[in-house]
């Protein structure tokens, strides 16, 4: 079993910043990639940013220039630094990880999500 726990969500004013964290725990041999997705009310879940074990990154066009994804491999943790936040960034943000776990089984896991609210 592998668990992903997000933290760092909350209320922020437009133009403000927020840093999300996601820690993976459990029987982990390696993590091939980690990422952040978000889902706003009435919208489909979308990729915000992803990072591979080789530290290659990709971002959604809507957040490029405002968001930076990084990871601490030793701690099995991924971060999402969000700057210049806009009201349209309001969503539940979900952590995602491609994990090789017990008996070398490779599966994708999801966190429960953390709510980001951008409002004055």
């Amino acid at each position: 079993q592998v668990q992903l726990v997000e933290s760092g969500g909350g209320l922020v004013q437009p133009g403000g910043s927020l840093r999300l964290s996601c820690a993976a725990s459990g029987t982990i041999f390696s993590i091939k990639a980690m990422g952040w997705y978000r889902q706003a009310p009435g919208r489909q879940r979308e990729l915000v940013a992803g990072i591979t074990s080789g530290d290659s990154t990709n971002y959604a066009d809507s957040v490029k220039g405002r968001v930076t994804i990084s990871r601490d491999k030793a701690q099995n943790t991924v971060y999402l630094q969000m700057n210049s936040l806009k009201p349209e960034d309001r969503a539940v943000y979900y952590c995602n990880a491609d994990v090789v776990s017990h008996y070398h089984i490779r599966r994708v896991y999801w966190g429960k999500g953390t709510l980001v609210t951008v409002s004055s």
Side-chain angles (χ1 to χ4, degrees):
Q1 291 290 327
V2 174
Q3 297 82 41
L4 304 180
V5 180
E6 304 101 332
S7 63
L11 175 64
V12 64
Q13 295 183 353
S17 298
L18 210 59
R19 191 191 192 203
L20 307 182
S21 299
C22 173
S25 62
T27 306
I28 299 172
F29 286 84
S30 66
I31 299 178
K32 297 298 183 182
M34 300 186 79
W36 288 95
Y37 289 71
R38 68 184 181 186
Q39 187 166 22
R43 296 186 180 274
Q44 290 185 289
R45 188 174 299 187
E46 64 176 351
L47 173 70
V48 179
I51 185 167
T52 69
S53 60
D55 294 325
S56 177
T57 60
N58 65 296
Y59 299 92
D61 289 339
S62 60
V63 302
K64 285 182 179 178
R66 302 187 296 118
V67 166
T68 301
I69 188 170
S70 61
R71 65 181 293 187
D72 184 336
K73 296 179 181 179
Q75 298 295 320
N76 290 326
T77 301
V78 65
Y79 305 94
L80 189 71
Q81 178 67 47
M82 305 179 69
N83 303 318
S84 302
L85 284 164
K86 305 174 181 179
E88 52 261 44
D89 293 319
R90 181 199 182 280
V92 176
Y93 285 71
Y94 297 90
C95 180
N96 165 279
D98 184 350
V99 178
V100 178
S101 59
H102 205 195
Y103 302 116
H104 298 97
I105 296 174
R106 184 174 177 175
R107 287 198 177 107
V108 174
Y109 294 87
W110 292 88
K112 297 295 184 182
T114 184
L115 178 63
V116 172
T117 301
V118 184
S119 176
S120 299

